[in-house]
Amino acid sequence: MMLRGGNVRADSVCANRGKPAACGLPKSSAGRQASVGFPARRVSRTPGMRVSAVSAPEKASSGPEVVSAPVYSIPISNKTTRPRVVVLGSGWASMSFIKALPKDIAEKYEVMLVSPRNYFLYTPLLPAVATGTMEERSIVEPVRNLLVGKGEYYEAVCKDIDPVKKSLVCCFPKDAGFPEACFQLSYDVLIVGVGSVNNTFGIKGVSEYCNYFKSIEDANKLRSRVSECFERASLPGTTAEERKKLLSFVVVGGGPTGVEVAAEMHDMIE
């Protein structure tokens, strides 16, 4: 669908199965990251951590040898009294599971949640963030708030799963600005709720020119782009043809998110 209105500029938005994206963004603009007002990253420390003989996953490199980050092993709890339950992900599935656990779950199980995102995102309101109707902090909830009294949280990406030994290799996210730090985590029960990747349905140009609308970062990119379009279209030297192009919006995908993005942008224009 295409919307046209005054003083706006956002080239396009592509949505597939509720995951729209801003299309036609120049790489220089699409690569810009808007800052998000989330709490500073914190790394939980478990007493008694020890260096294991296990090495981090090897990285293929044609240049000099890359030294792998050390892998730490979190001591296994007493399996006869408290089996360890490890949950991967902090999205809808994982956090719904955590919220459904009884308050005294820590007395019977050792619950650990591993995810590179230390907050739960209420995605239905994400389109409102893209147009400035709502702020990021209004649609996020820190993971630790939901884990109080139930378990521990580790901000890390699961890099390897060994179902035979029932162990994981997890690493602190590289984009956090710190050297990579990995640790080995044993489990008795593993729950995987890491979500899925976007489906382009074979639409040409989506992967090359579109920005998927799935995260806070994606919403901020679109919000910044819309603001730039407003300003560029309002310049006195902008031609009618260029202004028409700047004020055209395309949403690819008619799912819940695509429709919500289109409605939010329509309301903003009107």
Side-chain angles (χ1 to χ4, degrees):
M1 58 186 72
M2 180 173 289
L3 306 177
R4 291 189 181 132
N7 286 348
V8 151
R9 172 177 129 180
D11 294 333
S12 40
V13 176
C14 298
N16 298 296
R17 288 188 180 274
K19 301 178 181 64
C23 302
L25 305 185
K27 292 185 178 180
S28 59
S29 175
R32 252 179 299 182
Q33 293 285 346
S35 59
V36 183
F38 298 127
R41 296 176 181 268
R42 295 179 296 172
V43 181
S44 302
R45 302 180 183 275
T46 301
M49 275 191 176
R50 57 184 175 80
V51 177
S52 171
V54 181
S55 61
E58 295 183 358
K59 302 176 183 178
S61 175
S62 57
E65 181 179 357
V66 178
V67 179
S68 299
V71 177
Y72 298 90
S73 179
I74 299 180
I76 304 175
S77 61
N78 189 339
K79 294 184 179 181
T80 58
T81 58
R82 287 207 308 161
R84 175 176 291 171
V85 178
V86 177
V87 181
L88 299 181
S90 56
W92 286 93
S94 298
M95 300 318 299
S96 294
F97 171 77
I98 294 296
K99 291 181 67 176
L101 294 177
K103 295 182 178 180
D104 61 347
I105 188 66
E107 298 177 4
K108 301 177 182 178
Y109 295 91
E110 184 181 14
V111 180
M112 294 183 176
L113 189 145
V114 177
S115 174
R117 194 173 68 183
N118 64 0
Y119 58 89
F120 167 72
L121 174 64
Y122 189 74
T123 50
L125 293 179
L126 194 58
V129 173
T131 57
T133 306
M134 299 190 71
E135 293 297 328
E136 299 95 336
R137 60 179 177 272
S138 301
I139 64 171
V140 298
E141 178 73 14
V143 167
R144 288 185 174 87
N145 287 0
L146 303 174
L147 271 172
V148 173
K150 295 182 179 181
E152 295 290 334
Y153 165 72
Y154 296 100
E155 184 174 329
V157 178
C158 180
K159 293 293 188 72
D160 184 63
I161 300 176
D162 189 336
V164 177
K165 296 181 179 179
K166 287 192 172 183
S167 66
L168 311 171
V169 173
C170 306
C171 299
F172 191 71
K174 292 182 179 179
D175 60 358
F178 294 96
E180 185 177 32
C182 300
F183 59 92
Q184 184 178 12
L185 184 62
S186 299
Y187 65 87
D188 294 295
V189 178
L190 178 63
I191 298 174
V192 181
V194 296
S196 59
V197 297
N198 298 88
N199 190 346
T200 65
F201 295 98
I203 301 175
K204 295 182 179 180
V206 171
S207 299
E208 295 84 358
Y209 307 108
C210 293
N211 221 16
Y212 296 109
F213 196 83
K214 190 176 181 180
S215 65
I216 284 288
E217 291 77 14
D218 294 337
N220 276 316
K221 287 179 183 178
L222 178 58
R223 183 174 179 176
S224 176
R225 184 62 172 170
V226 168
S227 177
E228 292 172 358
C229 291
F230 270 117
E231 301 300 336
R232 181 67 177 84
S234 64
L235 293 178
T238 304
T239 63
E241 183 179 353
E242 184 180 4
R243 183 175 291 108
K244 181 179 179 180
K245 180 181 178 181
L246 294 172
L247 303 183
S248 297
F249 298 82
V250 177
V251 177
V252 180
T257 307
V259 172
E260 286 293 333
V261 169
E264 286 286 346
M265 297 187 74
H266 177 272
D267 292 344
M268 178 184 63
I269 294 170
E270 296 298 325

